[in-house]
């Protein structure tokens, strides 16, 4: 992603505008494409997201989301990075924050993450992970989940080296468990619930991940890029308070 795009995102977040001003006169423009990519570790979601973003002509946001949160946070940057799609031990985190005179880092992370994701959606983009499909609940977006079996995902991460498969398998299971816990605690929902997505793709039998991106692009066009409005939920959406 170009640096000027990232700076524009930071400007948006720092102005604390979840509903930016739009022109009051003239024809309404079509909303920019917004696709959220939830993924299991090793299923190829990151590579697919980057290819898809190029095809749609929008930026791809992955680690940039965390960078924007960290850049605008008052809490310790290390604490913010520890909260990226996982929930470390709360007791130690609270103790450290109290000793440093900081606010609850989880509450700030939730607030800033919501603001950053909404800022991305206003301009369009492919958003990787971070529960973006839930943070944008009711907003126009196409929600995709990329999955794969533990064994195939581990083999993909091992890069064809049989000696690395066992360690990669442990990594797949560890990361996926951390993300599942994050969803359970943060959103009060299972990240594997198929009703939360418009399209789920199993990449086990895809050797060409670009083909998966093409499949998603075709589905997005059929879908029209607009999700149906969702009923109100308990999912945190207010940028000014915690859950």
């Amino acid at each position: 992603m170009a640096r000027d795009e990232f700076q524009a995102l930071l400007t948006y977040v720092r102005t604390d505008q979840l509903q930016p001003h739009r022109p009051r006169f003239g024809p309404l423009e079509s909303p920019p494409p917004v696709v959220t990519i939830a993924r299991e570790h090793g299923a190829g979601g990151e590579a697919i997201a980057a290819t898809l973003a190029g095809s749609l002509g929008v930026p791809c946001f992955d680690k940039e989301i965390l960078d924007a949160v960290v850049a605008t946070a008052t809490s310790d940057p290390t604490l913010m990075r520890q909260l990226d799609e996982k929930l470390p031990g709360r007791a130690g985190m609270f103790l450290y924050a109290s000793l440093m005179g900081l606010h609850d880092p989880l509450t700030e992370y939730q607030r800033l993450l919501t603001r950053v994701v909404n800022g991305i959606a206003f301009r369009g983009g492919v958003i990787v992970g971070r529960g973006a499909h839930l943070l944008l609940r009711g907003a126009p977006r196409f929600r995709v989940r990329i999955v794969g079996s533990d064994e195939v995902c581990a083999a993909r991460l091992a890069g064809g080296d049989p000696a690395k498969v066992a360690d990669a398998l442990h990594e797949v299971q560890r990361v996926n468990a951390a993300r599942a816990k994050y969803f359970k605690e943060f959103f009060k929902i299972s990240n594997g619930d198929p009703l939360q997505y418009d399209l789920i793709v199993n990449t086990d039998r895809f050797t060409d991940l670009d083909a998966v991106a093409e499949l998603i692009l075709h589905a997005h066009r059929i879908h029209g890029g607009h999700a149906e409005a969702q009923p109100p939920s308990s999912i945190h959406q207010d940028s000014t308070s915690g859950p």
Side-chain angles (χ1 to χ4, degrees):
M1 184 180 62
R3 181 173 178 79
D4 57 344
E5 292 171 341
F6 182 69
Q7 290 301 322
L9 176 61
L10 286 182
T11 299
Y12 176 91
V13 175
R14 286 167 173 156
T15 57
D16 197 16
Q17 296 176 9
L18 282 179
Q19 298 295 333
H21 298 290
R22 297 178 181 271
R24 305 183 70 178
F25 304 100
L28 293 176
E29 296 182 359
S30 298
V34 177
V35 180
T36 62
I37 303 288
R39 76 286 187 224
E40 292 184 342
H41 190 54
E46 291 83 359
I48 292 167
T51 301
L52 178 65
S55 298
L56 289 171
V58 296
C60 180
F61 295 88
D62 186 357
K63 292 300 182 183
E64 296 87 356
I65 299 172
L66 176 60
D67 291 340
V69 169
V70 169
T72 54
T74 59
S75 295
D76 187 286
T78 301
L79 293 180
M80 292 290 103
R81 293 191 181 280
Q82 288 178 359
L83 288 168
D84 189 37
E85 295 191 289
K86 54 186 179 294
L87 292 174
R90 296 278 281 155
M93 182 176 296
F94 275 130
L95 177 60
Y96 177 83
S98 297
L99 291 174
M100 297 298 293
L102 303 172
H103 299 295
D104 176 9
L106 179 59
T107 299
E108 184 174 23
Y109 175 81
Q110 293 172 331
R111 175 174 55 83
L112 291 176
L113 179 62
T114 301
R115 198 185 303 170
V116 168
V117 168
N118 276 272
I120 293 171
F122 178 69
R123 292 170 175 79
V126 175
I127 309 174
V128 179
R130 282 81 188 179
H133 62 293
L134 297 173
L135 292 172
L136 295 174
R137 194 176 181 89
R141 75 274 190 261
F142 187 55
R143 308 163 299 172
V144 179
R145 179 165 170 79
I146 308 296
V147 302
S149 64
D150 289 353
E151 293 74 17
V152 173
C153 289
R156 184 179 287 119
L157 289 175
D161 186 347
K164 297 180 179 180
V165 171
D167 287 341
L169 180 60
H170 176 72
E171 178 184 330
V172 165
Q173 294 170 342
R174 175 180 57 80
V175 173
N176 285 341
R179 288 175 180 168
K181 180 181 178 182
Y182 168 82
F183 266 78
K184 183 72 172 179
E185 296 294 328
F186 193 173
F187 297 107
K188 311 302 181 185
I189 197 170
S190 169
N191 61 339
D193 180 0
L195 296 181
Q196 302 300 322
Y197 307 97
D198 301 305
L199 178 68
I200 300 175
V201 183
N202 179 355
T203 59
D204 276 6
R205 297 184 180 274
F206 284 89
T207 56
D208 181 7
L209 295 181
D210 285 350
V212 180
E214 185 65 28
L215 184 154
I216 296 171
L217 179 64
H218 181 64
H220 176 267
R221 288 169 176 166
I222 294 173
H223 183 272
H226 297 279
E228 294 182 0
Q230 300 288 335
S233 74
S234 60
I235 294 174
H236 172 68
Q237 298 187 61
D238 185 354
S239 69
T240 61
S241 64

